Amino acid sequence: MKNLITVLLFIVPICVFAQEESYSVSSYLEEGTKAPNTHYLGEAWLNGLLEVERDLNFHITKATFKANSTLDWHKHASTQVLIYVEGEGYYQERGKAPVVLKAGDVIKCEKETEHWHSSTKDSDVTYLAVYGGEQPTTWTEVLTQEYYDKVAEKLKK
């Protein structure tokens, strides 16, 4: 994980100076596209920074959720790493207690592990999701507003 962060820290400055048309440069600072309300509650924006292609076997997506927004339960065919860059969010794996994650936190979710993640009730959250595979997400169950509210109340204490 340290190697990935180190690589990202070196790539970003190089990309800033790479202004020729032969380079493909994107920015994680861009908000991205508003996601359709298909598998989440609230408001979310996605910015696909890198996609699986040729020798690159992983995706990096920036996700931004407004406060009081959550994804449904889901799983991935590969390990997923979430790097929290701004705000606070909830994270829970099936069968485990939910936790609060905040800017600077990094968490790894093993492949095929059912989980959900979100912003907190009072804070927007932005994270980078790093994951592999062609089928990145399998949605398994709707996460209700009532369940989310119970988690928020429990973690508030």
Side-chain angles (χ1 to χ4, degrees):
M1 178 41 70
K2 287 183 182 179
N3 289 340
L4 176 61
I5 293 172
T6 302
V7 168
L8 288 174
L9 291 175
F10 284 105
I11 289 175
V12 171
I14 290 169
C15 291
V16 169
F17 294 106
Q19 299 301 315
E20 294 184 26
E21 287 185 34
S22 62
Y23 293 100
S24 175
V25 179
S26 61
S27 173
Y28 82 95
L29 297 176
E30 293 177 17
E31 186 174 61
T33 305
K34 188 167 187 328
N37 280 74
T38 307
H39 295 289
Y40 70 94
L41 300 170
E43 295 183 56
W45 284 262
L46 301 174
N47 181 356
L49 301 174
L50 292 174
E51 299 297 325
V52 169
E53 65 177 354
R54 295 186 299 275
D55 292 338
L56 186 66
N57 61 0
F58 60 90
H59 304 268
I60 300 178
T61 300
K62 174 188 166 191
T64 301
F65 286 79
K66 293 296 182 188
N68 199 33
S69 299
T70 182
L71 287 172
D72 288 337
W73 286 96
H74 62 282
K75 60 185 178 177
H76 304 279
S78 70
T79 298
Q80 181 185 46
V81 175
L82 301 175
I83 304 167
Y84 285 74
V85 296
E86 192 174 340
E88 293 184 346
Y90 306 131
Y91 175 89
Q92 182 180 20
E93 293 178 2
R94 183 72 77 183
K96 295 184 179 180
V99 295
V100 174
L101 297 174
K102 54 188 172 242
D105 290 343
V106 177
I107 193 162
K108 180 173 85 170
C109 181
E110 297 296 336
K111 70 179 183 175
E112 300 300 334
T113 299
E114 204 174 2
H115 66 287
W116 64 274
H117 36 99
S118 68
S119 61
T120 63
K121 289 290 256 184
D122 303 317
S123 174
D124 295 355
V125 70
T126 299
Y127 58 83
L128 300 176
V130 181
Y131 52 96
E134 297 297 321
Q135 175 65 32
T137 306
T138 301
W139 301 100
T140 57
E141 182 183 336
V142 171
L143 193 135
T144 66
Q145 186 70 53
E146 293 78 19
Y147 185 82
Y148 174 86
D149 291 343
K150 286 179 185 176
V151 167
E153 189 60 35
K154 178 181 178 181
L155 293 177
K156 194 180 210 181
K157 297 176 183 179

